């Protein structure tokens, strides 16, 4: 599995399956994306630059993807809340994953890194 195995396996269903599916979706975006652990969360980097984190909302207990440079992204499903730089994409673990939306936002985030901005 990965160095984050304890993070994924400690979650209850349906969050466990949802987070593992999100992990696969993120890793399939580009061959240069790697998984590490930062602040106790799975962190995904593109060429060693932090791209996204996976986490579970403490209030709703639902998973989300946190985009490190979310302020540079414009998508109706991204929320900034009280964050200045980052935005999150909430995922309902009881529904099918919005794969097309996820791929679009992830590819848009990657394009920012590839352009070097």
């Amino acid at each position: 599995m990965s160095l984050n195995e304890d993070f994924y396996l400690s979650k209850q269903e349906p969050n466990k399956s949802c987070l593992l599916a999100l992990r696969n979706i993120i890793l399939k975006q580009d061959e240069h994306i790697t998984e590490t652990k930062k602040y106790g969360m799975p962190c995904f980097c593109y060429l060693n630059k932090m791209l996204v984190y996976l986490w579970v909302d403490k209030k709703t207990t639902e998973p989300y993807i946190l985009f490190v440079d979310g302020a540079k992204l414009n998508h109706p499903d991204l929320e900034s809340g009280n964050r200045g730089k980052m935005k999150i994409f909430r995922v309902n673990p009881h529904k099918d994953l919005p794969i097309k939306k996820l791929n679009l936002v992830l590819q848009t985030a990657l394009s920012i890194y590839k352009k070097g901005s």
Side-chain angles (χ1 to χ4, degrees), residues 42-86:
C43 177
F44 299 86
C45 301
Y46 175 75
L47 297 175
N48 295 318
K49 292 183 180 179
M50 292 180 289
L51 176 68
V52 297
Y53 289 89
L54 284 180
W55 198 241
V56 177
D57 187 288
K58 287 177 176 59
K59 291 180 185 173
T60 67
T61 69
E62 292 183 342
Y64 63 81
I65 300 174
L66 184 139
F67 287 83
V68 174
D69 282 328
K72 297 178 182 176
L73 300 171
N74 187 16
H75 189 278
D77 290 328
L78 289 174
E79 303 172 21
S80 58
N82 58 2
R83 299 170 197 86
K85 183 180 174 187
M86 302 178 180

Side-chain angles (χ1 to χ4, degrees), residues 2-117:
S2 71
L3 62 122
N4 288 308
E5 186 172 348
D6 57 327
F7 173 82
Y8 298 109
L9 297 180
S10 70
K11 304 303 178 212
Q12 298 297 314
E13 292 296 353
N15 281 357
K16 183 191 303 184
S17 297
C18 182
L19 288 161
L20 287 168
L22 290 171
R23 176 185 182 269
N24 285 337
I25 290 168
I26 294 165
L27 289 172
K28 287 182 180 179
Q29 297 299 313
D30 190 283
E31 64 184 7
H32 298 293
I33 293 178
T34 56
E35 182 181 17
T36 186
K37 188 180 215 173
K38 295 202 187 276
Y39 314 110
M41 299 183 275
C43 177
F44 299 86
C45 301
Y46 175 75
L47 297 175
N48 295 318
K49 292 183 180 179
M50 292 180 289
L51 176 68
V52 297
Y53 289 89
L54 284 180
W55 198 241
V56 177
D57 187 288
K58 287 177 176 59
K59 291 180 185 173
T60 67
T61 69
E62 292 183 342
Y64 63 81
I65 300 174
L66 184 139
F67 287 83
V68 174
D69 282 328
K72 297 178 182 176
L73 300 171
N74 187 16
H75 189 278
D77 290 328
L78 289 174
E79 303 172 21
S80 58
N82 58 2
R83 299 170 197 86
K85 183 180 174 187
M86 302 178 180
K87 288 185 181 177
I88 65 169
F89 188 105
R90 294 183 185 275
V91 179
N92 184 336
H94 300 283
K95 294 183 178 180
D96 289 343
L97 290 175
I99 293 174
K100 286 183 181 179
K101 284 183 186 180
L102 287 168
N103 285 335
L104 174 68
V105 178
L106 286 163
Q107 283 299 313
T108 304
L110 272 172
S111 71
I112 291 169
Y113 285 73
K114 290 177 181 179
K115 290 177 186 170
S117 57

